[in-house]
Amino acid sequence: MIYYKSEEEIDLIRKSSLLVGKTHAAIASLIKPGVTTLELDKIAEEFILDNGAIPAFKGYGDFPNTLCMSPNEQVVHGIPNNKPLNDGDILSVDCGVLKNGFYGDSAYTYEVGEVDSEVRNLLKVTKESLYKGIEQAVAGKRLGDIGFAIQEHAESFGYGVVREMVGHGLGRKLHEKPEVPNYGRRGKGIKLKEGLVIAIEPMINMGTKSIHQHADGWTITTADGDFSAHFEHTIVVRKNKAEILSSFEDIEKY
Ligand code: MG
Ligand code: MG
């Protein structure tokens, strides 16, 4: 069952999503060689709690922390740890919060120090793929149009589009119907209607699309060990143009 949201509900999801953006901004300038993902996680957790919200991922299943922190070949769901980041790393940070009964969810992949131009291009194309998908999230289009646009753009650069992990509806739950794949066929899938709130989140690999699940039960890495990037916005389907509820604006000031 898909829950289409009222304007009042969308307003609350927007507030949660903007807090996610502010949380990202709170750690963005600190992401540099030498810092550990656990340090960043602590800062994010305090920031979320100080803003009257609850970290959405901590305790989801048995996930132990506030942020999913996935460096380099980790695709998503990496667990923060005590290992310092290195110059040339990339770090996917996924953040979710629950406030006033509604979730917000957004991910961004950061450069750590000086990153190879090839890797920078992976980040650029992954973010572009996200916006190509969002362009399709308009009433009257179909779910497959979103996945098609993302896939077409990423694959045109020879990158692998992860199949097993997908975007999702959200609202009173972190994961609601429908699933939002980052691949698909034009004109296929459910028809998009106004008030549908979804997280679109391409996970794009430099090489193979295949992934590997680690023994910790969470961490997903690329099967070939090559880098992977992840960008995510929470959006609402509107008549002529999707409205992006989360924001990278504060992140990109740094
Ligand atoms: Mg997320
Ligand atoms: Mg998500």
Short mmCIF file of all heavy atoms in Angstrom, two decimals, residues 105 168 199 201 232, ligand 2:
data_model
loop_
_atom_site.label_atom_id
_atom_site.label_comp_id
_atom_site.label_asym_id
_atom_site.label_seq_id
_atom_site.Cartn_x
_atom_site.Cartn_y
_atom_site.Cartn_z
N ASP A 105 15.64 11.63 4.85
CA ASP A 105 16.72 10.70 4.50
C ASP A 105 17.51 11.30 3.34
O ASP A 105 16.92 11.64 2.31
CB ASP A 105 16.07 9.37 4.10
CG ASP A 105 17.05 8.24 3.87
OD1 ASP A 105 18.24 8.40 4.19
OD2 ASP A 105 16.60 7.18 3.38
N HIS A 168 13.27 4.35 -2.00
CA HIS A 168 12.07 3.90 -1.27
C HIS A 168 11.14 5.05 -0.97
O HIS A 168 11.57 6.21 -0.88
CB HIS A 168 12.52 3.25 0.05
CG HIS A 168 13.48 4.11 0.82
ND1 HIS A 168 13.08 4.99 1.79
CD2 HIS A 168 14.83 4.29 0.72
CE1 HIS A 168 14.13 5.64 2.28
NE2 HIS A 168 15.21 5.23 1.63
N ALA A 199 12.56 8.58 -1.53
CA ALA A 199 14.01 8.83 -1.50
C ALA A 199 14.58 8.20 -2.76
O ALA A 199 14.40 7.00 -2.99
CB ALA A 199 14.63 8.22 -0.25
N GLU A 201 18.04 7.35 -4.62
CA GLU A 201 19.41 7.22 -4.12
C GLU A 201 20.29 6.30 -4.96
O GLU A 201 20.55 5.16 -4.59
CB GLU A 201 19.41 6.76 -2.66
CG GLU A 201 18.56 5.56 -2.33
CD GLU A 201 18.69 5.21 -0.83
OE1 GLU A 201 19.82 5.16 -0.32
OE2 GLU A 201 17.65 4.95 -0.19
N GLU A 232 21.70 10.90 -2.34
CA GLU A 232 20.27 10.65 -2.08
C GLU A 232 19.55 11.93 -1.68
O GLU A 232 20.03 12.68 -0.82
CB GLU A 232 20.13 9.64 -0.93
CG GLU A 232 18.70 9.39 -0.48
CD GLU A 232 18.63 8.41 0.70
OE1 GLU A 232 19.57 8.38 1.52
OE2 GLU A 232 17.62 7.68 0.79
MG MG B 2 17.22 5.93 1.79
#
